[in-house]
Every structure is written in structure tokens, then in C-alpha cells.
Amino acid sequence: MIATTATSLRAGASSSGKTKCPVTKPIGLLSSFWGSFGVIYILYKAIARVLPIALEPFKGTSPSLTSFQLAAYIGTSLFFAYAEGYKGFQLKFSPLVVCRSFNLGIKSPAHHVIFAPAYSMGLFHATRKRMIVSWSVTTGVAVVVALVKRLPYPWRNIVDAGVVVGLTWGSLSIAIGYFKALFTGKLPDGVDPALPIFEQSNDNKKKD
């Protein structure tokens, strides 16, 4: 079955053909806010952990970077900005988070709202493919973090600098995407919320 894409707020959670803006429904607004900004909080915690390490070479308490290492520092930051921040977050992950967060509302099961950040990331109540991708990425990131911790100075610091740039870009793209959707009443174009097939079928029948 071909996946459907939501283009208006609460399109997936509405019980009728009419679109209902979450601004008129406090619970819907709070649920979507918790979904998107809960993810941002998770990213913030990660940034707060690695930022001091990324800045260590410039604090004067550690050996200064050589010209080559400084070039690697800048190059790594630019690479992560493009590969992780722009391509990974802004074009793919962030629109998904925003789209799924606005699918939450007063009629959503309690555990969907309680674990809204995980729901918005597609870690549960999603298509099988989406859950496989989301869990694989989450596990992969954890493995990479463990490996990076073993790198010697200053290479760990260099990689962590790139991580900070990428995660910061990602956090901003989620926040901007959320408020853009909230104030325009339109979700990101062409984004599949990756809802389970049976739920997509029910939404299509309601629209018909």
C-alpha cells in the first residue's frame, strides 16, 4: 500500500474530514509541543555533554592544535553541518518529528502522549520500515559515541565539534519547523508520518 502524507495540522488525528488546528485544542497543542521539544531536549542534553570536550583545545589547558588539526576541526564541523545537520536533520528527520508530533491529540492513547518524543521519532507506532530505521540510527549513534570516546586528544575533540554543530542544526530545524507548521497551519510538504498501515487506511476512508 502506498503511504499517505499529511499536509495540514492534525490531519492524521482528526476524526472527521475537517482539519482541526491544535491551537484550539490545548491538549493537542501541548502534546505536539512535548513531542517536538522533547526531542530537542534530548538533543540539547547530548550537546551539553560534548560541547565542553569540543571546546577543550581552545581553553588553554590543553596542547594547541596544529595547523593540520585546526583544518581538520573546521572541516569536520562543516562536514557534520551538511551531512548531519542539513541532509540528516533538516531534510529528513526534523520534518518527520514535526509531522508525527502534530498527529498527537486528545484522542491519542495515553502512552503515545507520555512518550511523545519517542513517538515523534518513529520508535513505536510506526511502519515496520520506519521503526527499523529509527532504532538502527539510535543504536548506531550509541555505538559511534562509544567508539569516539576511545579516540585520543585532539581527535575526539574534533569529532565532538562536528557532533555539536550537527545536533545544534538539527535542534534549530525542529524548532523552526514546529513553529512554522503551528503558525501556517501546514505540515512539511511531502513528509510521510509513517503511521501503521491500518491507521493510514482509516484516515483515507474518513477523507472519502
Side-chain angles (χ1 to χ4, degrees), residues 39-40 43-44 47 89 94 166-176:
V39 176
I40 292 176
L43 298 179
Y44 164 76
I47 294 170
F89 275 100
S94 297
L167 295 183
T168 301
W169 190 310
S171 299
L172 290 174
S173 65
I174 293 175
I176 293 172

Side-chain angles (χ1 to χ4, degrees), residues 114-175:
I114 294 172
F115 301 106
Y119 173 91
S120 299
M121 291 189 289
L123 294 176
F124 71 94
H125 194 70
T127 60
R128 182 177 180 181
K129 179 181 178 180
R130 179 68 256 171
M131 287 192 291
I132 291 175
V133 171
S134 294
W135 280 105
S136 296
V137 170
T138 302
T139 303
V141 169
V143 172
V144 171
V145 168
L147 294 175
V148 170
K149 287 182 178 179
R150 298 176 179 272
L151 293 176
Y153 178 89
W155 302 109
R156 177 186 176 182
N157 311 74
I158 291 173
V159 175
D160 281 344
V163 171
V164 169
V165 172
L167 295 183
T168 301
W169 190 310
S171 299
L172 290 174
S173 65
I174 293 175

Side-chain angles (χ1 to χ4, degrees), residues 52-203:
I53 300 173
L55 296 178
E56 186 179 346
F58 307 102
K59 292 181 178 180
T61 57
S62 302
S64 300
L65 299 178
T66 65
S67 297
F68 175 75
Q69 291 168 344
L70 181 59
Y73 192 101
I74 297 173
T76 300
S77 297
L78 292 175
F79 172 78
F80 272 79
Y82 176 74
E84 183 182 18
Y86 177 67
K87 294 202 69 175
F89 275 100
Q90 185 173 331
L91 297 184
K92 297 178 181 179
F93 185 72
S94 297
L96 173 72
V97 169
V98 172
C99 189
R100 286 180 63 87
S101 72
F102 275 110
N103 198 63
L104 294 167
I106 193 169
K107 292 186 178 181
S108 299
H111 67 286
H112 288 190
V113 177
I114 294 172
F115 301 106
Y119 173 91
S120 299
M121 291 189 289
L123 294 176
F124 71 94
H125 194 70
T127 60
R128 182 177 180 181
K129 179 181 178 180
R130 179 68 256 171
M131 287 192 291
I132 291 175
V133 171
S134 294
W135 280 105
S136 296
V137 170
T138 302
T139 303
V141 169
V143 172
V144 171
V145 168
L147 294 175
V148 170
K149 287 182 178 179
R150 298 176 179 272
L151 293 176
Y153 178 89
W155 302 109
R156 177 186 176 182
N157 311 74
I158 291 173
V159 175
D160 281 344
V163 171
V164 169
V165 172
L167 295 183
T168 301
W169 190 310
S171 299
L172 290 174
S173 65
I174 293 175
I176 293 172
Y178 176 85
F179 286 114
K180 181 179 179 180
L182 184 64
F183 290 118
T184 64
K186 295 181 179 180
L187 293 175
D189 293 332
V191 178
D192 178 12
L195 297 174
I197 298 299
F198 71 86
E199 187 166 327
Q200 293 181 6
S201 299
N202 290 337
D203 286 342

